[in-house]
Amino acid sequence: SEYLNRFHRHRIVFKDLHNECFFREDEPPQNGECYKMLAPEVKSKKAWFFFGDSQMGKYFNALDYPYIITSKKETDDLRCGFLDYVHLPRSEEWVYPQYNQGPAKFGRKNHFCSDVASAGNRRFESDSTEGSNFMELLTVDFASDVEQQTRYTNTTQETATLHVANQLQLRGLTYEDSVCVVNVGLHDQKLCESKSDSHCLVIYVTNVKVYLNLLYNVCGSIIWLSTTPVRDTHNPNYPQRNDRMEIMNEKIREVLAKFDNGYFVDVWERALGNTFVDNAHFTQDFYDNVAGLFSSLM
C-alpha cells in the first residue's frame, strides 16, 4: 500500500554462504556458532521485534531482557486485540481470505481475530539518557493471512510491517536499529488440506517471499528461526507433518540466502532432543535455551 511505500529500501542481492547456523545447547550462547554469526550484525541493537505464533510467544516469554524495564504494554485480548494494540483502524469490511491465505479456523469465523490462541502482543521498553531500547512480540501466525486488515493494509503481514515502521519513526530510529526474529510454518499447514504436498509447498514459499520482502524495508536484520517438529506427525487430527516441515525449512533457508540481511537459525535437531508437552510445544528448558541466545545478543 501507499503507506508502506514510504519505507522502500533498495535491495542488495547476494548469496552469503555463511548466513545459517545450527543451535546447540551444550555450550554457553557466546561460544556457539549462532552467536558468532549474529553478533557482528545485531549485538546491542535498540529495537527487537519477534513475529510468530505461540511458539514464538514462548521464546519471547523466556527472554532475560538485559535492560531495566521502565514501561510495558500488553494486548487486552490475546486473540482479538491486535489492531487495538497497534492503534490502527479496522477495515470497513473484512475481506475473506483467498485459497492460499489464512486464517483457517477461529479467525475465519471471528473477524479481526487470530487463529492462534495464546501468543498475544506485548512490548517492554527501557528509557535512558541514551534513548529507548525495546523488544516487542507481534502475533503473526501465517506467512500470508487477512486476520488483521486495516484501512491502509490488506494482510496481517502488511499491518505488522506498518506498525514496526511507525514504532521506529516514533523513536527517531531507522531500519538499521532494528532486528526482526521471525517464524511461520506450523499454522500454514492448515492450508494444505485437499492440496498436494508440492502445491502446499509452493504456496508457503511464495507467501514467505512476499512476507520477507515487506520486512526487508523495516528490519536491519531478519533472523528466521526454523519451524520445529511435532510429536504426532501422522495424526489425522493435526495438519503438521515432520517430513513436509523439513522441506519447508530447507526452502526458507534457500530463500534467506538471497537476502543480504537474512540469517537462518536451525533449532530442529535441538527441539527433537527435547520432551514434548503437547503435539507442538516442548518443556520450558528448550525455550530457555533458545531465548538465551537472543538475550545474550541484546
Side-chain angles (χ1 to χ4, degrees), residues 74-79 81 84-85 121:
E74 298 185 61
T75 185
D76 294 327
D77 188 326
L78 289 180
R79 264 190 157 163
D84 289 336
Y85 174 86
N121 307 280

mmCIF file of all heavy atoms in Angstrom, residues 74-79 81 84-85 121:
data_model
loop_
_atom_site.group_PDB
_atom_site.id
_atom_site.type_symbol
_atom_site.label_atom_id
_atom_site.label_comp_id
_atom_site.label_asym_id
_atom_site.label_seq_id
_atom_site.Cartn_x
_atom_site.Cartn_y
_atom_site.Cartn_z
ATOM 1 N N GLU A 74 0.704 -4.423 26.924
ATOM 2 C CA GLU A 74 0.231 -5.737 26.518
ATOM 3 C C GLU A 74 -1.174 -5.618 25.952
ATOM 4 O O GLU A 74 -1.950 -4.746 26.338
ATOM 5 C CB GLU A 74 0.230 -6.702 27.707
ATOM 6 C CG GLU A 74 1.605 -6.953 28.303
ATOM 7 C CD GLU A 74 1.582 -7.999 29.396
ATOM 8 O OE1 GLU A 74 1.196 -9.149 29.095
ATOM 9 O OE2 GLU A 74 1.945 -7.675 30.527
ATOM 10 N N THR A 75 -1.510 -6.503 25.036
ATOM 11 C CA THR A 75 -2.852 -6.511 24.483
ATOM 12 C C THR A 75 -3.841 -7.007 25.530
ATOM 13 O O THR A 75 -3.519 -7.877 26.351
ATOM 14 C CB THR A 75 -2.910 -7.405 23.228
ATOM 15 O OG1 THR A 75 -4.196 -7.297 22.654
ATOM 16 C CG2 THR A 75 -2.619 -8.856 23.561
ATOM 17 N N ASP A 76 -5.041 -6.440 25.516
ATOM 18 C CA ASP A 76 -6.067 -6.860 26.472
ATOM 19 C C ASP A 76 -6.724 -8.171 26.066
ATOM 20 O O ASP A 76 -7.220 -8.908 26.912
ATOM 21 C CB ASP A 76 -7.142 -5.762 26.590
ATOM 22 C CG ASP A 76 -6.604 -4.489 27.214
ATOM 23 O OD1 ASP A 76 -5.713 -4.589 28.077
ATOM 24 O OD2 ASP A 76 -7.069 -3.396 26.840
ATOM 25 N N ASP A 77 -6.735 -8.446 24.771
ATOM 26 C CA ASP A 77 -7.387 -9.643 24.245
ATOM 27 C C ASP A 77 -6.370 -10.400 23.401
ATOM 28 O O ASP A 77 -5.947 -9.923 22.349
ATOM 29 C CB ASP A 77 -8.598 -9.234 23.399
ATOM 30 C CG ASP A 77 -9.452 -10.424 22.963
ATOM 31 O OD1 ASP A 77 -8.887 -11.509 22.717
ATOM 32 O OD2 ASP A 77 -10.678 -10.258 22.860
ATOM 33 N N LEU A 78 -5.958 -11.581 23.845
ATOM 34 C CA LEU A 78 -4.897 -12.321 23.167
ATOM 35 C C LEU A 78 -5.238 -12.619 21.721
ATOM 36 O O LEU A 78 -4.378 -12.544 20.842
ATOM 37 C CB LEU A 78 -4.613 -13.627 23.906
ATOM 38 C CG LEU A 78 -3.923 -13.532 25.269
ATOM 39 C CD1 LEU A 78 -3.719 -14.920 25.847
ATOM 40 C CD2 LEU A 78 -2.595 -12.812 25.160
ATOM 41 N N ARG A 79 -6.480 -12.951 21.442
ATOM 42 C CA ARG A 79 -6.856 -13.373 20.097
ATOM 43 C C ARG A 79 -7.384 -12.240 19.226
ATOM 44 O O ARG A 79 -7.170 -12.242 18.015
ATOM 45 C CB ARG A 79 -7.924 -14.472 20.165
ATOM 46 C CG ARG A 79 -7.328 -15.867 20.077
ATOM 47 C CD ARG A 79 -8.402 -16.905 19.906
ATOM 48 N NE ARG A 79 -7.856 -18.104 19.294
ATOM 49 C CZ ARG A 79 -8.461 -19.281 19.305
ATOM 50 N NH1 ARG A 79 -9.630 -19.413 19.877
ATOM 51 N NH2 ARG A 79 -7.894 -20.323 18.724
ATOM 52 N N GLY A 81 -7.265 -8.662 19.990
ATOM 53 C CA GLY A 81 -6.878 -7.318 20.368
ATOM 54 C C GLY A 81 -5.726 -6.726 19.580
ATOM 55 O O GLY A 81 -5.181 -5.684 19.961
ATOM 56 N N ASP A 84 -6.289 -3.034 18.167
ATOM 57 C CA ASP A 84 -6.331 -2.064 19.267
ATOM 58 C C ASP A 84 -4.927 -1.833 19.809
ATOM 59 O O ASP A 84 -4.551 -0.705 20.140
ATOM 60 C CB ASP A 84 -7.246 -2.571 20.390
ATOM 61 C CG ASP A 84 -8.712 -2.532 20.000
ATOM 62 O OD1 ASP A 84 -9.071 -1.728 19.114
ATOM 63 O OD2 ASP A 84 -9.494 -3.316 20.574
ATOM 64 N N TYR A 85 -4.153 -2.900 19.877
ATOM 65 C CA TYR A 85 -2.788 -2.796 20.391
ATOM 66 C C TYR A 85 -1.920 -1.905 19.517
ATOM 67 O O TYR A 85 -1.139 -1.096 20.012
ATOM 68 C CB TYR A 85 -2.183 -4.200 20.493
ATOM 69 C CG TYR A 85 -0.720 -4.226 20.879
ATOM 70 C CD1 TYR A 85 -0.330 -4.196 22.214
ATOM 71 C CD2 TYR A 85 0.278 -4.279 19.899
ATOM 72 C CE1 TYR A 85 1.006 -4.215 22.569
ATOM 73 C CE2 TYR A 85 1.610 -4.302 20.244
ATOM 74 C CZ TYR A 85 1.975 -4.263 21.583
ATOM 75 O OH TYR A 85 3.308 -4.269 21.929
ATOM 76 N N ASN A 121 0.220 -9.858 22.059
ATOM 77 C CA ASN A 121 1.175 -8.841 21.651
ATOM 78 C C ASN A 121 1.636 -8.102 22.902
ATOM 79 O O ASN A 121 0.825 -7.765 23.767
ATOM 80 C CB ASN A 121 0.515 -7.842 20.684
ATOM 81 C CG ASN A 121 -0.154 -8.536 19.520
ATOM 82 O OD1 ASN A 121 0.494 -8.926 18.568
ATOM 83 N ND2 ASN A 121 -1.473 -8.715 19.598
#
